[in-house]
Amino acid sequence: MSRLVVVSNRVADPRKTAAGGLAVALGDVLNNTGGLWFGWSGKVIEEADGGKPGEGKLHTQQAGGVKLVTLDLSRQDHDSFYAGYSNGVLWPVFHYRLDLADFESAHIAGYRRVNQLFARKLHPLLRDDDIIWIHDYHLIPLAAELRALGCTQRIGFFLHIPLPPPLILAAIPGHDWLIRALFAYNVVGFQSNADHAHFCSYVEAEAHAQNLGDGRWRAFNRTVQAGAFPIGIDVEEFVGLANAPEGREMCERMRREYSRRKLLVGVDRLDYSKGLPQRMLAFREMLQRYPETHRSATLIQIASPSREDVSAYSDILHQLESLCGSINGNFGELDWMPVRYMHRTVARARLPGLYRASSVALVTPLRDGMNLVAKEFLAAQDPQDPGVLVLSRFAGAAEQLREALLVNPYDIEGTANAIHLALQMPVEERRARHQSLMRTIREFDVHWWCDSFLDTLVKAEAEETGTPWLRL
Ligand code: ADQ
């Protein structure tokens, strides 16, 4: 079996439980192949310490059968590549937020520079028969840079975030360059059929690609196979965590603390794509419309700090704080606070207990690639008395989780009614919905995702020798 090489912006030690299902699943495959995981070290070298652009000290660490190789970035490279282009242009536009994009031209140069740097540092570590799997929007041009250095290995790419329709994508200066870079891969994977369809319509209309059938497209002298590979979670691990002593203890503690109320839960990174202000407005609307829910429902909202150096993120923080404050101020009683808002990350081992103690989960992003919280909530439930998932139709997960209560998060009244319905839902209906949702998340778990992507990559046509990659 060929060695697997995974490349992503951040690298996680798959042996650590805090790493999460994705890292563990990738770690399993990497362990089996004696693989390599390559990415940014998380360290930024200030110029005063010699941090000139183009530098990048490598760190190597053995984690079981997996070799972790990470690279430092200079301040200038990090700021333009990470905050500037990846999170200031690609993240907002790919989440349909043109209004938040900062199309400063210097950022794209930093993005290209860091992708070239990754390619230069990774290239000498590669073997001829390696299978390379590159992840996410930070590294779209990496395969093109590797090809320019002569790499002929099979290379796959998975986009964890949505791909917008062609007209939105076309707002990015240099969008044609970005999409052309995808043709340096053998396989390109998306989270949902909708994202895949956007790719197809873009390459057909803008790149005049030829449709070869079975998801294969030909353009720029190359063939790429594209498809939807919806990511899942490690369901059995999550069920296990919910039933483990720490999970049970957390669940009991929450139930004791809120014994007279039904709990609603929201767990997100504090990001404008997650629809947090709209969620608060819907909860407020529900309290206004259904006074019998006063005192009987409490929303616990956990929002972990994220990308605080990007200005759109501090705006959303202030908006959320002010909304939570005004809901508690207007509706709260001496013995009841409607919203408990925490701006922090909760330890992974505590999440299953919190989910299990909750009657309703609010997963209401304005746009989301998949959203793993929705699947984690389902896996943590007691099948005899499960909670209800209120899910945005704009999360990638909505394509699969049809038995959730699907809502339009922009429709505040509609979402308020759905939250109320979820709080009232009889146990028979909750069980039936949960059973069917569990079947789906078990079938399409994180191992299915890994295996089906890699299987497609292994079978994909090898790089055509003799057609050199034209530099981007
Ligand atoms: P994210 O935008 O980070 O990921 P999501 O899938 O919801 O979104 O969460 C990833 C993980 O972070 C989950 O395991 C969740 O439990 C954890 N998490 C989130 N908030 C937390 C908090 N406050 N405290 C502790 N843990 C928290 C991107 C895309 C998604 C896609 C994933 C995976 O934006 O659409 O589902 O990648 O492909």
Side-chain angles (χ1 to χ4, degrees), residues 20-22 91 95 136 158 160-162 191 231 238 267-269 273-274 302-304 307 344-348 351 355 368-374 376:
L22 171 62
W91 179 273
H95 286 86
D136 232 357
F158 185 76
H160 288 259
I161 65 174
Q191 293 276 26
I231 196 169
F238 229 80
V267 175
D268 308 80
R269 267 187 317 99
S273 66
K274 303 291 181 184
I302 297 164
S304 54
R307 304 173 197 164
R344 73 177 66 129
T345 303
V346 170
R348 194 172 153 69
L351 283 177
Y355 292 146
D368 216 330
M370 176 55 59
N371 197 299
L372 295 180
V373 171
E376 292 171 353

Side-chain angles (χ1 to χ4, degrees), residues 1-5 33-36 125-127 129-132:
M1 191 183 187
S2 301
R3 183 177 72 154
L4 176 66
V5 175
T33 65
L36 172 75
L125 309 177
L126 295 175
R127 300 177 190 157
D129 66 338
D130 279 344
I131 294 273
I132 306 167

Side-chain angles (χ1 to χ4, degrees), residues 340-386:
R340 295 200 68 173
Y341 161 65
M342 278 153 279
H343 183 215
R344 73 177 66 129
T345 303
V346 170
R348 194 172 153 69
R350 305 183 80 181
L351 283 177
L354 170 64
Y355 292 146
R356 199 176 177 112
S358 304
S359 304
V360 177
L362 301 182
V363 179
T364 55
L366 304 178
R367 194 77 191 106
D368 216 330
M370 176 55 59
N371 197 299
L372 295 180
V373 171
K375 296 182 175 183
E376 292 171 353
F377 173 78
L378 293 168
Q381 297 307 299
D382 171 1
Q384 295 312 312
D385 185 18

